[in-house]
Coordinates of all heavy atoms in Angstrom, one line a residue:
M19 N 107.8 87.7 79.4 CA 108.2 86.4 79.9 C 107.3 86.0 81.1 O 107.1 86.9 82.0 CB 109.6 86.4 80.3 CG 110.1 85.2 80.7 SD 112.0 85.1 80.5 CE 112.4 85.0 82.2
A20 N 106.8 84.9 81.0 CA 105.8 84.5 82.1 C 106.5 83.9 83.2 O 107.6 83.1 83.1 CB 104.8 83.5 81.6
S21 N 106.1 84.2 84.4 CA 106.7 83.6 85.7 C 105.7 83.1 86.5 O 104.5 83.5 86.4 CB 107.6 84.7 86.5 OG 108.6 85.3 85.6
A22 N 106.0 82.1 87.4 CA 105.0 81.6 88.3 C 104.5 82.7 89.3 O 105.4 83.4 89.9 CB 105.6 80.4 89.0
G23 N 103.3 82.8 89.5 CA 102.8 83.8 90.4 C 102.5 85.1 89.9 O 101.9 86.0 90.5
K24 N 103.0 85.4 88.6 CA 102.7 86.7 88.0 C 101.5 86.5 87.0 O 101.4 85.7 86.2 CB 103.8 87.2 87.2 CG 105.0 87.7 88.1 CD 106.1 88.4 87.2 CE 107.1 89.0 88.1 NZ 108.1 89.6 87.3
P25 N 100.5 87.4 87.1 CA 99.3 87.4 86.3 C 99.7 87.8 84.8 O 100.5 88.7 84.6 CB 98.3 88.3 86.9 CG 99.2 89.3 87.7 CD 100.3 88.5 88.2
Q26 N 99.1 87.1 83.8 CA 99.3 87.5 82.5 C 98.5 88.7 82.2 O 97.4 88.9 82.6 CB 98.8 86.4 81.7 CG 99.7 85.1 81.7 CD 101.0 85.4 81.1 OE1 101.2 86.2 80.3 NE2 102.0 84.5 81.5
P27 N 99.0 89.6 81.4 CA 98.3 90.7 81.0 C 97.1 90.4 80.1 O 97.2 89.5 79.3 CB 99.3 91.7 80.3 CG 100.5 90.7 79.9 CD 100.4 89.6 80.9
T28 N 95.9 91.1 80.2 CA 94.8 90.7 79.4 C 94.9 91.3 78.0 O 94.3 90.7 77.2 CB 93.6 91.3 80.0 OG1 93.7 92.7 80.3 CG2 93.4 90.6 81.4
R29 N 95.7 92.3 77.7 CA 95.8 92.9 76.5 C 97.3 92.7 76.0 O 98.2 92.7 76.8 CB 95.5 94.4 76.3 CG 94.1 94.8 76.6 CD 93.9 96.2 76.5 NE 94.7 97.1 77.4 CZ 94.0 97.6 78.5 NH1 92.9 97.3 78.9 NH2 94.8 98.3 79.3
P30 N 97.6 92.7 74.8 CA 99.0 92.8 74.3 C 99.6 94.0 74.7 O 99.1 95.0 74.9 CB 98.9 92.6 72.8 CG 97.4 92.1 72.5 CD 96.7 92.6 73.6
R31 N 100.9 93.9 74.9 CA 101.6 95.0 75.4 C 101.6 96.3 74.5 O 101.6 97.4 74.9 CB 103.2 94.6 75.7 CG 104.1 95.6 76.2 CD 104.5 95.3 77.6 NE 105.5 96.3 78.0 CZ 105.3 97.1 79.0 NH1 104.1 97.1 79.7 NH2 106.2 98.0 79.4
R32 N 101.8 96.0 73.2 CA 101.7 97.1 72.2 C 100.4 97.8 72.2 O 100.4 99.0 72.0 CB 102.0 96.6 70.8 CG 103.4 96.0 70.6 CD 103.6 95.5 69.2 NE 104.9 95.0 69.0 CZ 105.4 94.3 68.0 NH1 104.5 94.3 67.0 NH2 106.7 94.0 67.9
Y33 N 99.4 97.0 72.4 CA 98.0 97.8 72.4 C 97.9 98.6 73.7 O 97.4 99.7 73.6 CB 97.0 96.6 72.5 CG 95.5 97.1 72.5 CD1 94.9 97.7 71.4 CD2 94.8 96.9 73.7 CE1 93.6 98.1 71.5 CE2 93.4 97.4 73.8 CZ 93.0 97.9 72.6 OH 91.6 98.5 72.7
D34 N 98.5 98.1 74.8 CA 98.4 98.9 76.0 C 99.3 100.2 75.9 O 98.9 101.3 76.3 CB 98.9 98.1 77.2 CG 98.7 98.7 78.6 OD1 97.6 99.2 78.8 OD2 99.6 98.8 79.3
I35 N 100.4 100.1 75.3 CA 101.3 101.3 75.1 C 100.5 102.3 74.1 O 100.7 103.5 74.3 CB 102.7 100.9 74.7 CG1 103.4 100.2 75.8 CG2 103.5 102.1 74.2 CD1 104.7 99.5 75.4
A36 N 99.9 101.7 73.0 CA 99.3 102.6 72.1 C 98.2 103.5 72.8 O 98.0 104.6 72.6 CB 98.8 101.9 70.9
L37 N 97.4 102.7 73.6 CA 96.3 103.4 74.4 C 96.9 104.5 75.3 O 96.3 105.6 75.4 CB 95.5 102.4 75.2 CG 94.5 101.6 74.4 CD1 93.8 100.6 75.3 CD2 93.5 102.5 73.8
R38 N 98.0 104.1 76.0 CA 98.5 105.2 76.9 C 99.0 106.3 76.1 O 99.0 107.5 76.6 CB 99.7 104.4 77.7 CG 99.1 103.5 78.7 CD 100.2 102.8 79.4 NE 99.6 101.6 80.3 CZ 99.2 101.9 81.5 NH1 99.3 103.0 82.1 NH2 98.7 100.8 82.1
L39 N 99.7 106.1 75.0 CA 100.2 107.3 74.1 C 99.0 108.1 73.7 O 99.1 109.3 73.6 CB 100.9 106.8 72.9 CG 102.4 106.4 73.2 CD1 103.0 105.8 72.1 CD2 103.1 107.7 73.7
I40 N 97.9 107.5 73.3 CA 96.6 108.2 72.8 C 96.1 109.1 74.0 O 95.7 110.2 73.8 CB 95.6 107.3 72.3 CG1 96.0 106.7 71.0 CG2 94.2 108.0 72.2 CD1 95.1 105.7 70.5
V41 N 96.2 108.6 75.2 CA 95.7 109.5 76.4 C 96.8 110.6 76.7 O 96.4 111.6 77.0 CB 95.5 108.6 77.6 CG1 95.3 109.3 78.9 CG2 94.3 107.6 77.4
A42 N 98.1 110.1 76.6 CA 99.1 111.1 77.1 C 99.3 112.2 76.1 O 99.5 113.4 76.6 CB 100.5 110.3 77.2
L43 N 99.4 112.0 74.9 CA 99.7 113.1 73.9 C 98.4 114.0 73.7 O 98.5 115.2 74.1 CB 100.1 112.5 72.6 CG 101.6 111.8 72.7 CD1 102.0 111.1 71.4 CD2 102.7 112.8 73.1
P44 N 97.4 113.5 73.0 CA 96.3 114.6 72.7 C 95.5 115.0 74.0 O 95.2 116.2 74.1 CB 95.4 114.0 71.6 CG 95.7 112.5 71.8 CD 97.0 112.3 72.3
L45 N 95.1 114.1 74.9 CA 94.4 114.5 75.9 C 95.1 115.2 77.0 O 94.7 116.1 77.6 CB 93.7 113.2 76.6 CG 92.6 112.6 75.8 CD1 92.1 111.3 76.6 CD2 91.4 113.5 75.6
G46 N 96.4 114.8 77.2 CA 97.3 115.6 78.1 C 97.5 117.0 77.6 O 97.6 118.0 78.4
Y47 N 97.7 117.2 76.2 CA 97.9 118.4 75.7 C 96.6 119.3 75.9 O 96.6 120.5 76.2 CB 98.3 118.5 74.2 CG 98.3 119.7 73.5 CD1 99.5 120.5 73.8 CD2 97.4 120.3 72.8 CE1 99.6 121.8 73.3 CE2 97.4 121.6 72.2 CZ 98.5 122.3 72.4 OH 98.7 123.5 71.9
A48 N 95.5 118.7 75.5 CA 94.3 119.5 75.8 C 93.9 119.9 77.1 O 93.6 121.0 77.4 CB 93.0 118.6 75.3
L49 N 94.3 118.9 78.1 CA 94.1 119.3 79.5 C 95.1 120.4 80.0 O 94.7 121.4 80.6 CB 94.4 118.1 80.3 CG 94.1 118.2 81.8 CD1 92.7 118.6 82.2 CD2 94.5 117.0 82.6
S50 N 96.2 120.4 79.5 CA 97.2 121.4 80.0 C 96.9 122.7 79.3 O 97.1 123.9 79.9 CB 98.7 121.0 79.6 OG 98.9 120.8 78.2
A51 N 96.5 122.7 78.0 CA 96.1 123.9 77.3 C 94.9 124.6 77.8 O 94.9 125.8 78.1 CB 95.9 123.7 75.8
L52 N 93.9 123.7 78.2 CA 92.7 124.4 78.8 C 93.0 124.8 80.2 O 92.3 125.9 80.7 CB 91.6 123.3 78.8 CG 91.0 123.1 77.5 CD1 90.0 121.8 77.5 CD2 90.2 124.3 77.0
D53 N 93.9 124.3 81.0 CA 94.2 124.8 82.2 C 94.9 126.1 82.1 O 94.6 127.0 82.9 CB 95.2 123.7 82.9 CG 95.5 124.1 84.4 OD1 94.5 124.4 85.0 OD2 96.6 124.1 84.6
G54 N 95.8 126.3 81.1 CA 96.4 127.5 80.9 C 95.3 128.6 80.5 O 95.4 129.8 81.0
V55 N 94.3 128.2 79.7 CA 93.3 129.2 79.4 C 92.5 129.7 80.6 O 92.2 130.8 80.7 CB 92.5 128.6 78.2 CG1 91.2 129.4 77.9 CG2 93.2 128.5 76.9
C56 N 92.1 128.6 81.4 CA 91.4 128.9 82.6 C 92.1 129.9 83.6 O 91.5 130.8 84.1 CB 90.9 127.6 83.3 SG 89.7 126.8 82.4
L57 N 93.4 129.6 83.7 CA 94.1 130.6 84.5 C 94.2 131.9 84.0 O 94.1 132.8 84.6 CB 95.6 129.9 84.8 CG 95.8 129.0 85.8 CD1 97.2 128.5 85.9 CD2 95.3 129.5 87.2
A58 N 94.3 132.0 82.7 CA 94.4 133.4 82.1 C 93.2 134.1 82.2 O 93.3 135.3 82.3 CB 94.7 133.1 80.6
F59 N 92.0 133.4 82.4 CA 90.8 134.2 82.4 C 90.4 134.4 84.0 O 89.7 135.3 84.3 CB 89.7 133.4 81.8 CG 89.6 133.6 80.3 CD1 89.9 132.6 79.4 CD2 89.3 134.9 79.8 CE1 89.8 132.9 78.1 CE2 89.3 135.2 78.4 CZ 89.6 134.2 77.6
W60 N 90.8 133.5 84.8 CA 90.3 133.5 86.2 C 91.2 134.1 87.3 O 90.8 134.3 88.3 CB 89.8 132.1 86.6 CG 88.5 131.7 85.8 CD1 88.5 130.9 84.7 CD2 87.2 132.1 86.0 NE1 87.3 130.7 84.2 CE2 86.4 131.5 84.9 CE3 86.5 133.0 86.9 CZ2 85.1 131.7 84.9 CZ3 85.2 133.1 86.8 CH2 84.5 132.6 85.8
L61 N 92.5 134.2 87.0 CA 93.4 134.8 87.9 C 93.1 136.2 88.0 O 92.9 137.0 87.1 CB 94.8 134.5 87.6 CG 95.4 133.1 87.9 CD1 96.8 133.1 87.5 CD2 95.3 132.9 89.4
P62 N 93.2 136.9 89.3 CA 93.0 138.3 89.4 C 94.2 139.2 89.3 O 94.6 140.0 90.0 CB 92.6 138.4 90.8 CG 93.2 137.4 91.6 CD 93.3 136.2 90.6
L63 N 95.1 138.8 88.2 CA 96.3 139.5 88.0 C 96.2 140.4 86.6 O 95.1 140.4 86.1 CB 97.5 138.6 87.8 CG 97.7 137.8 89.1 CD1 98.8 136.7 88.7 CD2 98.1 138.5 90.3
S64 N 97.2 140.9 86.1 CA 97.2 141.6 84.9 C 97.1 140.6 83.7 O 97.3 139.3 84.0 CB 98.5 142.5 84.7 OG 99.6 141.7 84.5
R65 N 96.7 141.0 82.6 CA 96.6 140.0 81.5 C 97.9 139.3 81.1 O 97.9 138.2 80.8 CB 96.1 140.8 80.1 CG 94.7 141.1 80.2 CD 94.3 141.8 78.9 NE 94.1 140.8 77.9 CZ 93.7 141.2 76.7 NH1 93.4 142.4 76.4 NH2 93.5 140.2 75.8
A66 N 99.0 140.1 81.2 CA 100.3 139.5 80.9 C 100.8 138.4 81.9 O 101.2 137.3 81.5 CB 101.4 140.6 80.8
D67 N 100.5 138.7 83.2 CA 100.8 137.8 84.2 C 99.9 136.6 84.2 O 100.3 135.5 84.5 CB 100.6 138.5 85.7 CG 101.8 139.5 85.8 OD1 102.7 139.4 85.2 OD2 101.5 140.4 86.7
N68 N 98.6 136.8 83.9 CA 97.7 135.6 83.8 C 98.2 134.8 82.5 O 98.2 133.6 82.7 CB 96.3 136.1 83.4 CG 95.6 136.7 84.8 OD1 96.1 136.5 85.7 ND2 94.5 137.3 84.5
A69 N 98.6 135.3 81.5 CA 99.0 134.5 80.4 C 100.2 133.8 80.7 O 100.4 132.6 80.3 CB 99.2 135.4 79.1
M70 N 101.2 134.4 81.3 CA 102.4 133.7 81.7 C 102.2 132.6 82.6 O 102.8 131.6 82.5 CB 103.4 134.8 82.2 CG 104.8 134.2 82.4 SD 105.6 133.5 81.0 CE 105.8 135.0 80.0
A71 N 101.3 132.8 83.7 CA 101.0 131.8 84.6 C 100.4 130.6 83.9 O 100.7 129.5 84.3 CB 100.1 132.3 85.7
G72 N 99.5 130.9 83.0 CA 98.8 129.8 82.2 C 99.9 129.0 81.4 O 99.8 127.7 81.3
I73 N 100.8 129.7 80.7 CA 101.8 129.1 79.9 C 102.6 128.2 80.8 O 102.9 127.0 80.5 CB 102.6 130.1 79.1 CG1 101.7 130.7 78.0 CG2 103.7 129.4 78.5 CD1 102.4 131.9 77.3
L74 N 103.1 128.7 81.9 CA 104.1 127.9 82.7 C 103.4 126.7 83.3 O 104.0 125.7 83.5 CB 104.6 128.9 83.8 CG 105.6 130.0 83.3 CD1 106.1 130.8 84.3 CD2 106.8 129.3 82.6
L75 N 102.2 126.9 83.8 CA 101.4 125.7 84.5 C 101.2 124.7 83.4 O 101.3 123.5 83.6 CB 100.1 126.1 85.0 CG 99.4 125.0 85.8 CD1 100.3 124.5 87.0 CD2 98.1 125.4 86.2
G76 N 100.9 125.2 82.1 CA 100.7 124.2 81.0 C 101.9 123.3 80.7 O 102.0 122.2 80.4
L77 N 103.1 124.1 80.7 CA 104.4 123.4 80.5 C 104.7 122.5 81.6 O 105.4 121.5 81.3 CB 105.5 124.5 80.3 CG 105.4 125.2 79.0 CD1 106.5 126.3 79.0 CD2 105.7 124.3 77.8
I78 N 104.3 122.7 82.7 CA 104.5 121.7 83.9 C 103.5 120.6 83.9 O 103.8 119.5 84.2 CB 104.5 122.4 85.2 CG1 105.6 123.4 85.3 CG2 104.4 121.5 86.4 CD1 105.5 124.4 86.5
L79 N 102.3 120.9 83.6 CA 101.2 119.9 83.6 C 101.3 118.8 82.6 O 101.0 117.6 82.9 CB 99.9 120.6 83.6 CG 98.6 119.8 83.9 CD1 98.8 119.3 85.4 CD2 97.4 120.5 83.8
W80 N 101.7 119.1 81.3 CA 101.6 118.1 80.3 C 102.7 117.0 80.6 O 102.3 115.8 80.4 CB 101.9 118.8 78.9 CG 101.6 117.9 77.8 CD1 100.9 116.8 77.7 CD2 102.0 118.1 76.4 NE1 100.8 116.3 76.5 CE2 101.5 117.0 75.6 CE3 102.7 119.1 75.8 CZ2 101.7 117.0 74.3 CZ3 103.0 119.1 74.4 CH2 102.4 118.1 73.7
P81 N 103.9 117.3 80.9 CA 104.7 116.1 81.3 C 104.3 115.3 82.5 O 104.4 114.1 82.5 CB 106.1 116.8 81.6 CG 106.1 118.1 81.0 CD 104.7 118.5 80.9
V82 N 103.6 116.0 83.4 CA 103.0 115.2 84.5 C 102.0 114.3 84.1 O 101.9 113.0 84.5 CB 102.5 116.1 85.7 CG1 101.8 115.4 86.8 CG2 103.7 116.9 86.3
I83 N 101.0 114.7 83.2 CA 100.1 113.8 82.7 C 100.6 112.7 81.9 O 100.2 111.6 81.9 CB 99.1 114.6 81.8 CG1 98.4 115.6 82.8 CG2 98.0 113.8 81.1 CD1 97.4 116.6 82.1
F84 N 101.6 113.1 81.0 CA 102.3 112.1 80.2 C 102.9 110.9 81.1 O 102.8 109.7 80.9 CB 103.3 112.7 79.4 CG 104.0 111.8 78.3 CD1 103.4 111.8 77.1 CD2 105.1 111.0 78.6 CE1 103.8 110.9 76.1 CE2 105.5 110.2 77.6 CZ 104.9 110.2 76.3
M85 N 103.7 111.3 82.2 CA 104.2 110.4 83.1 C 103.1 109.6 83.8 O 103.3 108.3 84.0 CB 105.1 111.0 84.1 CG 106.5 111.5 83.4 SD 107.6 112.1 84.6 CE 106.9 113.8 84.8
A86 N 102.0 110.2 84.3 CA 101.0 109.5 84.9 C 100.3 108.5 84.0 O 99.8 107.5 84.5 CB 100.0 110.6 85.4
S87 N 100.2 108.8 82.7 CA 99.6 107.7 81.8 C 100.4 106.5 81.8 O 99.9 105.5 81.5 CB 99.3 108.4 80.5 OG 100.6 108.4 79.8
F88 N 101.6 106.5 82.0 CA 102.4 105.3 82.1 C 102.7 104.8 83.5 O 103.1 103.6 83.6 CB 103.7 105.6 81.4 CG 103.5 105.6 79.9 CD1 103.5 106.8 79.3 CD2 103.6 104.4 79.2 CE1 103.3 106.9 77.8 CE2 103.5 104.6 77.8 CZ 103.4 105.7 77.1
A89 N 102.3 105.6 84.5 CA 102.5 105.1 85.8 C 101.3 104.3 86.4 O 101.5 103.6 87.3 CB 102.8 106.3 86.7
V90 N 100.0 104.7 86.0 CA 98.9 104.1 86.5 C 98.8 102.6 86.1 O 99.3 102.2 85.0 CB 97.6 104.8 86.2 CG1 97.7 106.2 86.8 CG2 97.4 105.0 84.7
A91 N 98.2 101.8 86.9 CA 98.1 100.4 86.5 C 97.0 100.1 85.5 O 97.2 99.3 84.6 CB 97.8 99.5 87.8
R92 N 95.8 100.9 85.5 CA 94.8 100.6 84.6 C 94.6 101.9 83.8 O 94.3 103.0 84.5 CB 93.5 100.2 85.4 CG 93.7 98.9 86.0 CD 92.4 98.4 86.7 NE 91.2 98.5 85.8 CZ 90.0 98.6 86.2 NH1 89.8 98.6 87.4 NH2 89.0 98.6 85.4
I93 N 94.5 101.9 82.7 CA 94.3 103.1 81.7 C 93.0 103.6 81.9 O 92.7 104.8 81.7 CB 94.8 102.7 80.3 CG1 95.0 104.0 79.4 CG2 93.9 101.8 79.6 CD1 96.1 104.9 79.8
G94 N 92.0 102.7 82.1 CA 90.6 103.2 82.3 C 90.5 104.2 83.5 O 89.6 105.2 83.4
R95 N 91.2 104.1 84.4 CA 91.1 105.0 85.5 C 91.7 106.3 85.2 O 91.2 107.4 85.6 CB 91.9 104.5 86.7 CG 91.2 103.4 87.4 CD 92.0 103.0 88.7 NE 91.4 101.8 89.3 CZ 91.9 101.2 90.3 NH1 93.1 101.5 90.9 NH2 91.3 100.1 90.8
L96 N 92.7 106.4 84.4 CA 93.3 107.6 83.9 C 92.4 108.3 83.0 O 92.2 109.6 83.0 CB 94.6 107.4 83.3 CG 95.4 108.8 82.7 CD1 95.8 109.5 84.0 CD2 96.5 108.4 81.9
V97 N 91.7 107.6 82.0 CA 90.8 108.2 81.0 C 89.6 108.7 81.8 O 89.0 109.8 81.6 CB 90.3 107.1 80.0 CG1 89.3 107.7 79.2 CG2 91.6 106.9 79.2
A98 N 89.1 107.9 82.9 CA 88.0 108.4 83.7 C 88.3 109.7 84.5 O 87.2 110.3 84.8 CB 87.4 107.3 84.6
L99 N 89.5 109.9 84.7 CA 89.9 111.2 85.4 C 90.1 112.3 84.4 O 89.7 113.5 84.5 CB 91.1 111.0 86.2 CG 91.5 112.2 87.0 CD1 90.6 112.5 88.1 CD2 93.0 111.9 87.6
V100 N 90.8 112.1 83.3 CA 91.3 113.1 82.4 C 90.1 113.7 81.6 O 90.0 115.0 81.4 CB 92.3 112.6 81.5 CG1 92.6 113.6 80.4 CG2 93.7 112.4 82.3
I101 N 89.2 112.9 81.1 CA 88.1 113.4 80.3 C 87.2 114.3 81.0 O 86.8 115.4 80.6 CB 87.4 112.2 79.6 CG1 88.4 111.7 78.5 CG2 86.0 112.7 78.9 CD1 87.7 110.5 77.7
P102 N 86.7 113.9 82.2 CA 85.8 114.9 83.0 C 86.4 116.2 83.3 O 85.8 117.2 83.3 CB 85.3 114.1 84.2 CG 85.6 112.6 83.8 CD 86.7 112.6 82.9
V103 N 87.8 116.0 83.8 CA 88.5 117.3 84.0 C 88.7 118.2 82.8 O 88.5 119.4 83.0 CB 89.8 116.9 84.7 CG1 90.8 118.2 84.8 CG2 89.7 116.2 86.1
T104 N 88.9 117.6 81.7 CA 89.1 118.3 80.5 C 87.8 119.0 80.1 O 87.7 120.2 79.8 CB 89.5 117.5 79.3 OG1 90.7 116.9 79.7 CG2 89.7 118.2 78.0
C105 N 86.6 118.3 80.3 CA 85.3 118.9 80.0 C 85.0 120.0 81.0 O 84.5 121.1 80.6 CB 84.2 117.9 80.2 SG 84.3 116.8 78.8
L106 N 85.4 119.9 82.3 CA 85.1 120.9 83.3 C 86.0 122.2 83.0 O 85.5 123.3 83.1 CB 85.4 120.3 84.7 CG 85.4 121.3 85.9 CD1 84.0 121.6 86.2 CD2 86.1 120.8 87.0
L107 N 87.2 122.0 82.7 CA 88.1 123.1 82.3 C 87.6 123.8 81.1 O 87.7 125.0 81.0 CB 89.5 122.6 82.1 CG 90.3 122.3 83.5 CD1 91.6 121.8 83.2 CD2 90.4 123.5 84.3
S108 N 87.1 123.0 80.1 CA 86.6 123.8 78.9 C 85.3 124.5 79.2 O 85.1 125.6 78.7 CB 86.3 122.7 77.8 OG 85.3 121.9 78.2
A109 N 84.5 124.0 80.2 CA 83.3 124.8 80.5 C 83.7 126.0 81.3 O 83.1 127.1 81.1 CB 82.4 123.9 81.4
L110 N 84.6 125.9 82.2 CA 85.3 127.1 82.9 C 85.8 128.1 82.0 O 85.6 129.3 82.2 CB 86.2 126.6 83.9 CG 85.6 126.0 85.3 CD1 86.8 125.5 86.1 CD2 84.7 127.0 86.0
A111 N 86.5 127.6 81.0 CA 87.2 128.7 80.0 C 86.0 129.3 79.2 O 86.1 130.5 79.0 CB 88.1 127.9 79.2
L112 N 84.9 128.5 78.8 CA 83.9 129.3 78.1 C 83.1 130.2 78.9 O 82.8 131.2 78.5 CB 83.0 128.1 77.5 CG 83.6 127.4 76.3 CD1 82.6 126.2 76.0 CD2 83.7 128.2 75.2
L113 N 83.0 129.9 80.2 CA 82.3 130.8 81.1 C 83.2 132.0 81.4 O 82.6 133.2 81.6 CB 82.0 130.1 82.4 CG 80.9 129.2 82.5 CD1 80.8 128.5 83.9 CD2 79.6 129.8 82.2
G114 N 84.5 131.9 81.3 CA 85.4 133.0 81.5 C 85.4 134.0 80.3 O 85.9 135.1 80.4
G115 N 84.9 133.5 79.1 CA 84.9 134.4 77.9 C 85.7 133.9 76.8 O 86.0 134.6 75.9
W116 N 86.3 132.7 76.9 CA 87.1 132.2 75.9 C 86.3 131.7 74.7 O 85.2 131.2 74.9 CB 87.8 131.0 76.4 CG 88.8 130.2 75.4 CD1 89.7 130.8 74.8 CD2 88.7 129.0 75.0 NE1 90.4 129.9 73.9 CE2 89.8 128.7 74.2 CE3 88.0 127.8 75.5 CZ2 90.0 127.4 73.6 CZ3 88.2 126.6 74.9 CH2 89.2 126.4 73.9
R117 N 86.7 132.2 73.6 CA 86.0 131.8 72.3 C 87.0 131.0 71.5 O 88.0 131.6 70.9 CB 85.5 133.0 71.5 CG 84.5 133.7 72.3 CD 83.2 133.0 72.5 NE 82.3 133.7 73.5 CZ 81.9 133.1 74.5 NH1 82.2 132.0 75.0 NH2 81.1 133.8 75.3
P118 N 86.8 129.7 71.3 CA 87.9 129.0 70.5 C 87.8 129.2 69.0 O 87.0 129.7 68.5 CB 87.4 127.4 70.7 CG 86.0 127.5 71.2 CD 85.8 128.9 71.8

């Protein structure tokens, strides 16, 4: 509903929600999974403790990314942050010895 003084959205609402879901679900999962893998390789604890820390952080991080994808005003900013961080984490995981 349009009101005086409120700017009209440039995209339809359904398109915006679909883009946010695309960022939230697969990219958020990839980011949280790679974060867990990086922790498992780079923490100076035992293998079991590293794996548990990675799993727990991934379980915390994915909902945070999901909520952030709907909280930011522009979806482009979120994509510009999530994709480079995911690439950086995948590079760190590969340097740590991870073989997908």
Side-chain angles (χ1 to χ4, degrees):
M19 184 158 112
S21 299
K24 286 189 176 181
Q26 290 290 339
T28 57
R29 293 188 297 266
R31 181 111 173 117
R32 290 182 184 172
Y33 181 69
D34 191 49
I35 291 174
L37 280 177
R38 290 174 190 272
L39 280 173
I40 288 171
V41 170
L43 292 173
L45 288 178
Y47 177 77
L49 183 65
S50 64
L52 284 171
D53 187 47
V55 168
C56 283
L57 274 181
F59 280 113
W60 292 99
L61 280 179
L63 304 172
S64 67
R65 285 181 79 178
D67 290 339
N68 286 350
M70 186 59 66
I73 289 169
L74 290 175
L75 186 66
L77 287 173
I78 292 170
L79 191 61
W80 194 15
V82 170
I83 294 169
F84 192 90
M85 288 184 279
S87 69
F88 286 95
V90 295
R92 294 182 54 204
I93 193 70
R95 288 183 182 171
L96 183 69
V97 171
L99 177 71
V100 169
I101 289 178
V103 170
T104 304
C105 292
L106 176 71
L107 286 175
S108 63
L110 285 173
L112 288 172
L113 284 174
W116 178 58
R117 298 294 172 239

